[in-house]
Amino acid sequence: MSCSLSNFCVQLPKVELHAHLNGSLSPATMRELVERKKATKPELANFRIPDSLEMESFFPLFKFIYQLTDDVESVRIAARNVIDEFARDGVKYLELRSTPRKNEETGMTKRTYLNAVLSVIEEPRQDIVVKFIISIDRRNTPEEAQEVVDLALDFQSRGIVAIDLCGDVHTGSFENLRPAFEKAQANGFPVTLHFNEIRENMVEAPALLSICPNRLGHATYLDDYCRKLIYKENIPIEICMTSNLLCKTVNTYEEHHIRELLNDKHPFILCTDDKGVFFSDLSNEYKLACETFKLTHEELFEISLRSIDAIFSDEKTKNELRQHWLAWKENSKDF
Ligand SMILES: CNc1ncnc2c1ncn2[C@@H]1O[C@H](COP(=O)(O)O)[C@@H](O)[C@H]1O
Ligand SMILES: [Zn+2]
């Protein structure tokens, strides 16, 4: 049963809407990038992703990972491998997200970083449609956040579909970054926000909701106020079960807040967050949801099909994806 379920979850066409580029590097990609750096940074070869994480130990991991992607060619390799891996896992539409970063030693600028990722996204592919979400980090100053939005405007025609708020949940304040998000919205960009990933974030929830985000990441802790508003506005929630369990923001899969969303029929999208750091690809997230909540193949298909409603692309793209999904189901013997 479990083997055929794994296979079904890979074959099932899926959209991935919450994947951080640098958190998505597979062990093979990390090895490839370590190899490129071995002359200048041999110590990187000793780096391992730990089995056990906490929110406190999660964000510092990127100090190491960022040394692997500190030049534009490494960024290109990382992006290409991550896209290929999602495609092999049955992802047909991917919104990859990343925070533009500079490095003085290699001469990489935020602009050349972004250009590197977008140039890979633009490479022709038959099996997957790829778009890009540009991330503002909670640690950014208001000026840095504005710079991200200005970059988004400069590169808008090259597949940037939205702006994200991410980064260390214990730092920064949304109020500082609000003007940048408002400028992005004034220029037509939809917004997705990491939201109430830890309990301490709940104090700023009304501020985040006040800008009318188009999607929310995690939304782990919801008080009555938040739940009512999110349900009323029908804001889809990006759900990352493995990420939440490994970062210990939920205790068990059975207690995961997706249960309430399933009961209340509120739209959600199964996503990976950081498939490299958490060793879980999207088909595994579908398998986990299926096993935890005793879902049928039909229900898994419906979850995947309904996720298309939440993508940041036009109706034509949505309809093409829906046709593909329905044609796949017609030909599948697994229902
Ligand atoms: C586990 N939950 C999470 N919560 C908040 N932010 C997260 C995250 N997982 C990843 N990131 C954000 O994504 C960056 C890495 O990808 P990019 O360099 O942008 O491609 C991390 O540095 C962090 O800011
Ligand atoms: Zn995330």
Side-chain angles (χ1 to χ4, degrees), residues 18 20 194 218 273:
H18 189 133
H20 301 271
H194 281 68
H218 303 296
D273 213 6

Side-chain angles (χ1 to χ4, degrees), residues 20-22 58-59 62 66 98-99 137 167 194 197 273-274:
H20 301 271
L21 171 58
N22 283 279
F58 172 77
F59 293 99
F62 288 94
Y66 283 165
S98 195
T99 328
D137 191 297
H194 281 68
E197 196 173 353
D273 213 6
D274 299 283

Side-chain angles (χ1 to χ4, degrees), residues 8-16 89-93 282 286 300-301 303-305 307-308 321-329 332 335:
F8 175 80
C9 291
V10 175
Q11 300 303 321
L12 177 69
K14 299 173 286 298
V15 303
E16 167 65 81
D89 192 42
V91 173
K92 300 295 171 197
Y93 173 95
L282 189 58
Y286 273 77
L300 277 188
F301 177 81
I303 288 172
S304 177
L305 180 68
S307 302
I308 299 171
L321 293 172
R322 289 180 187 121
Q323 293 308 322
H324 181 99
W325 263 233
L326 295 171
W328 176 83
K329 190 180 181 204
S332 171
F335 290 90

